[in-house]
Amino acid sequence: SSELTQDPAVSVALGQTVRITCQGDSLRSYYASWYQQKPGQAPVLVIYGKNNRPSGIPDRFSGSSSGNTASLTITGAQAEDEADYYCNSRDSSGNHLKVFGGGTKLTVL
Amino acid sequence: QLQLQESGPGLVKPSETLSLTCTVSGGSISSSSYYWGWIRQPPGKGLEWIGSIYYSGSTYYNPSLKSRVTISVDTSKNQFSLKLSSVTAADTAVYYCASDDYYDSDNCAFDIWGQGTMVTVSS
């Protein structure tokens, strides 16, 4: 199975832009999806596909991909964006196996 | 509005089998565009995909857990279930069920999650 690698922690000043990245071989074939998880809560899907936001997700969240790297960008980070962020995709094997990245703790300063 | 709810024992003894059920409401588990998945999260750690099932019964498991995992579906009850055998303390985690939406022919995302249920493995 393949792996997805994320930086363990990232920080951003309030109102600034931050990019959270996810690397893995499977991302050459499949899109990443991104999840936000706040303490004590279930993860919430924030980005999927090329750059799609589920209903209710603010447009300051966006996604992109290049080669084996997917990125989640928050433009104008808010205090409520402080959370853990996980990427996820199908495994590079071509089967319906799934894999999660290790997660990135985002701190908004 | 699709909703998922996990249920099952919160405490399981070592070497026994963990059993959880996810009840789907607000939609049909027989939807052709959805798989149904289980994901877990040990305390203070990241998310781990356990496996997914299609309404027809096709299953896909995490290779690291495959020998101990069984996921099944009951379309008449709009439920799917997880069994994890021979549990140890390392299986202590919050277990989530989620809808695994194939929004195109190749790509998918876990779009709706249950609230999660904490399962502790201890004697």
Side-chain angles (χ1 to χ4, degrees), chain A residues 31 35 37 49 90 96 98, chain B residues 41 100 102-103 106-107 110:
Chain A
Y31 287 121
Y35 306 85
Q37 187 181 34
R90 280 178 65 175
H96 293 273
K98 312 295 168 60
Chain B
Q41 185 172 37
D100 191 359
Y102 275 72
Y103 53 88
D106 290 323
N107 294 280
F110 294 104

Side-chain angles (χ1 to χ4, degrees), chain B residues 17-20 38 50 53 59 61 65-73 80-85:
Chain B
T17 296
L18 177 159
S19 296
L20 296 174
W38 287 99
I50 299 170
I53 190 166
T59 52
Y61 299 138
L65 298 169
K66 186 175 183 178
S67 64
R68 298 194 291 130
V69 172
T70 302
I71 298 176
S72 58
V73 63
F80 62 107
S81 298
L82 168 71
K83 292 187 184 299
L84 181 65
S85 64

Side-chain angles (χ1 to χ4, degrees), chain A residues 16-36:
Chain A
Q16 296 303 301
T17 296
V18 62
R19 176 177 293 182
I20 298 170
T21 61
C22 174
Q23 289 188 304
D25 287 342
S26 63
L27 300 180
R28 297 185 184 279
S29 303
Y30 302 109
Y31 287 121
S33 52
W34 290 93
Y35 306 85
Q36 176 192 70

Side-chain angles (χ1 to χ4, degrees), chain B residues 52 58 73 75 78 87 122:
Chain B
S52 294
S58 296
V73 63
T75 55
N78 233 31
V87 298
S122 175

Side-chain angles (χ1 to χ4, degrees), chain B residues 2 4 6 14-15 25 29 38 49-50 55 63-64 79-81 89 98 107-108 110 116 123:
Chain B
L2 196 64
L4 287 78
E6 307 89 350
S15 80
S25 59
I29 203 168
W38 287 99
W49 174 72
I50 299 170
Y55 75 92
S64 68
Q79 294 177 334
F80 62 107
S81 298
N107 294 280
C108 49
F110 294 104
S123 56

